[in-house]
Amino acid sequence: MDIEHAKIRIEELRKAIEENNRRYYVDNSPIISDYEYDQLMYGLIALEKQYPELVTEDSPTQKVGSDLASAYMDGQAHVTPAGKEEREKKEFEQYPHRYPMLSLGNTYDITEVDAFVERASRGLGGNSFTFSCELKFDGTAICLTYRDGRLLRALTRGDGAQGDDVTRNVKHIGNIPQVLKGTGWPEEFEIRGEIYMPYKAFDRLNAERERDEEQPFANPRNAASGSLKLLDPKEVGHRGLECTLYHLLGEDLPFASHDEALNAAKEWGLPVSGKRKICKDVSEIEEYIEYWDAERKFLPFATDGIVIKVNELAFQKTLGYTAKFPRWAVAYKFKAEQALTKLISIDYQVGRTGAVTPVANLEPVPLSGTTVKRASLHNLDQMQLLDIHVGDYVYVEKGGEIIPKITGVELSRRGNDVTLPEFPSRCPDCGTILVRDEGEAKFFCPNTDGCPPQIMGKLVHFISRKAMNVIAGDATVEQLFRLGMVRTPADLYDLTKEDLLRLEGWKDRSAERFLKSLEASKSTSFEHVLFALGIRHIGETTAKSIARHFRNIDALASAGKDELLEVNDIGEVIADSIIAFFSNERNIVEIARLKAAGLHFEMDAIEQDRTDILAGQTIVISGNFSISRDEMKAIIEKNGGKNSSSVSRKTSCLLAGTKPGPEKIKKAEQLGVRIISEADLMGMLSGGTPAAPSADVTETTGESAGEEAAVSAAEEPGTGKAMADGQLSLF
Ligand code: IVH
């Protein structure tokens, strides 16, 4: 290729890579496989190698893909609604990494591993050394800092130079210790690793999301990364995330090798994989790769390759780093398993929100332990991109996803009898002309109030566990709808026992149980009722934020766009959806009927004051306070904290009143557990600011920020000014 053409191709590749970086790292919804992405990157590397004069500092070959939304702000025009929702959730403080957080050079070619070994040997001038071979966990990178044996901060990789502070969320991940055990840890060190979601938790989460008509995550990696950046730390705790750590960093570490360092980390209670192996040459490395390429299918979590690292720390130092990678490590990546099968037909399914999804019916084919018969084709764009025809032989891939996807067409096997699929212009269920909003990948049936799968889908969503939690199966709802007895959720509350007894197979007991469950659902909290209404783009977490912000439905219904945009989780897409919902007269009537039936459309007194300022904090109280100890415990719980009776390494702080128990104080001092006063706690609660841990801020000044001596404002050392929201730290 001549230089002029190379210039054009380089630009195209850079654009495509940046776009896919954004989809992968920020939106958590990639549209190409890792393999396809890597091919783009290899293409760019090859051209830049051929024309070094065309290499620029900001080329994707020279920097790591950033998980910071701000890195892609000029790409807004292409943002998908799903991506927008993801981005609107990200509001984290950013902190610089002490050591740059780099990525790994990777290859799918085993001979490249040999080349790496050779390069390393050459670089180390014939000295003998070993390799640590490890699983490459498919999750999202995390950097944990421990100081004095306590977890101080957790940062995402970000752009490698600075990352998002996700400490509050990380504290809800079960296997990350907040306090180390044993002795001998460095006063301060960093340990890096991967947050991942085991298949079981992933399947559970996606099943829930699909039922609630939220976009399912494409794979466990995206699910882990999306979950880590949720705004509600308690919700993070429910996602079943896990962590594995694989890289210890610090000044003057007392270890000769990487393996020794990780063994020590394990002794301190940190989660380190036991599936590592020290190999002395290429043949041992290859043996390890071969073993895990077969065995990984039985692991309960996703792995996408093997990482091979020079084990001796002194030699790692000798080899050093490029701008993007360590020269002492390389990743060998596994190709996702594929199967080739015939596309028999395509169904077009209409969901609760009216979105139309093409689903492929396939000739059954075995793939990674299950038989695949159906696969998602996502949307029209995807079908056109694949140039898919009915009757084609297609490649299906799973690679961690529960819904297999079609990744390509085997054109060499295309027969003469294939037909070009016709995406319907009308709703396959109700015949209404489909519409596609600007920026949306999917077509929608706009007949929200008259299209049967939409009506039924809304009813099923309304009664679901996370919404109104009415004990009834989807079949009951379908039966009630088909018989014309129920069209909207409010109709459910008009049902009588006589109505139900007219249904086939219903007896006194089943009817009574259903009515009782409906009655009980009337005490469902406002945030759940709001979620149950099924307003487009409003998931469980967003419903919670909205309920807490507006407190009642009337305030929400009358809010203008600017007011809506003030809420944490709300961006343009959600604000527009709320406004559209309340401009529909039918929804207003429906809400009035549900109100009359007795459902909660405002926060009750307890909910009103509930906060998660103390989320993730375990607090021990001791001594006397201005209120009773039971009242103090209730306050802690109401603000998301946990009470505990004895001081241990797991205790976040000891709340000491007058005459605290000397034993508790002694124990807290011994373990380095922070001791705070009633004024400290109250100040923090009245400040309404989350207890975000901060590396630089461990002192409390007792200074007031408006409220006399009540708010313990944390100061940025050296600046003397109170830190911004979210950084007030007592723990
Ligand atoms: S070592 C200096 N070890 O894969 C880089 N990384 O594709 C040190 N990863 O950025 C990284 N398992 O996020 C290392 N056993 C392992 C890993 C691992 C997964 C991730 C990590 C890295 C990415 C590169």
Side-chain angles (χ1 to χ4, degrees), residues 685-706:
L685 297 177
S686 63
T689 321
S694 160
D696 306 327
V697 186
T698 48
E699 294 296 322
T700 59
T701 64
E703 238 178 23
S704 111

Side-chain angles (χ1 to χ4, degrees), residues 6-41:
K7 247 187 213 164
I8 296 167
R9 183 67 189 141
I10 282 176
E11 269 323 299
E12 280 170 5
L13 286 168
R14 285 180 187 162
K15 215 170 141 208
I17 291 169
E18 286 294 352
E19 171 67 11
N20 284 295
N21 274 347
R22 181 184 58 69
R23 287 183 187 269
Y24 183 92
Y25 289 110
V26 180
D27 297 349
N28 292 312
S29 75
I31 52 166
I32 60 172
S33 67
D34 284 9
Y35 184 76
E36 289 162 309
Y37 173 87
D38 288 330
Q39 300 313 309
L40 294 176
M41 187 63 96

Side-chain angles (χ1 to χ4, degrees), residues 102-104 134-137 141 157 194 246 307 309 326:
L102 304 178
S103 183
L104 284 174
E134 305 167 9
L135 296 182
K136 181 161 155 32
F137 289 79
R157 173 160 46 211
E194 206 84 352
Y246 45 63
V307 182
K309 302 172 183 171

Side-chain angles (χ1 to χ4, degrees), residues 546-585:
I546 295 174
R548 288 186 186 174
H549 185 95
F550 289 101
R551 306 275 172 197
N552 65 62
I553 196 92
D554 299 325
L556 174 64
S558 58
K561 191 157 173 179
D562 288 347
E563 216 178 318
L564 289 168
L565 289 171
E566 275 167 28
V567 185
N568 244 351
D569 280 349
I570 299 189
E572 293 277 333
V573 178
I574 298 178
D576 289 343
S577 165
I578 294 172
I579 289 168
F581 181 86
F582 287 105
S583 342
N584 183 339
E585 192 52 35

Side-chain angles (χ1 to χ4, degrees), residues 24-25 38 64 100-106 132-142 157 192-195 244-247 249 258 262 273 276 303-309 321 324-331 333:
Y24 183 92
Y25 289 110
D38 288 330
V64 300
M101 206 165 164
L102 304 178
S103 183
L104 284 174
N106 67 45
S132 171
C133 291
E134 305 167 9
L135 296 182
K136 181 161 155 32
F137 289 79
D138 198 8
T140 182
I142 192 77
R157 173 160 46 211
R192 294 176 176 175
E194 206 84 352
I195 306 274
T244 183
L245 299 167
Y246 45 63
H247 190 197
L249 295 108
H258 167 72
L262 290 191
S273 170
R276 294 174 287 127
T303 45
D304 58 342
I306 297 297
V307 182
I308 303 126
K309 302 172 183 171
Y321 294 83
K324 207 175 155 179
F325 308 128
R327 287 199 189 88
W328 45 264
V330 74
K333 289 180 83 173

Side-chain angles (χ1 to χ4, degrees), residues 104-124:
L104 284 174
N106 67 45
T107 179
Y108 292 85
D109 181 354
I110 195 79
T111 61
E112 289 279 331
V113 174
D114 300 355
F116 160 75
V117 170
E118 222 160 83
R119 268 198 314 275
S121 305
R122 238 182 296 124
L124 297 175

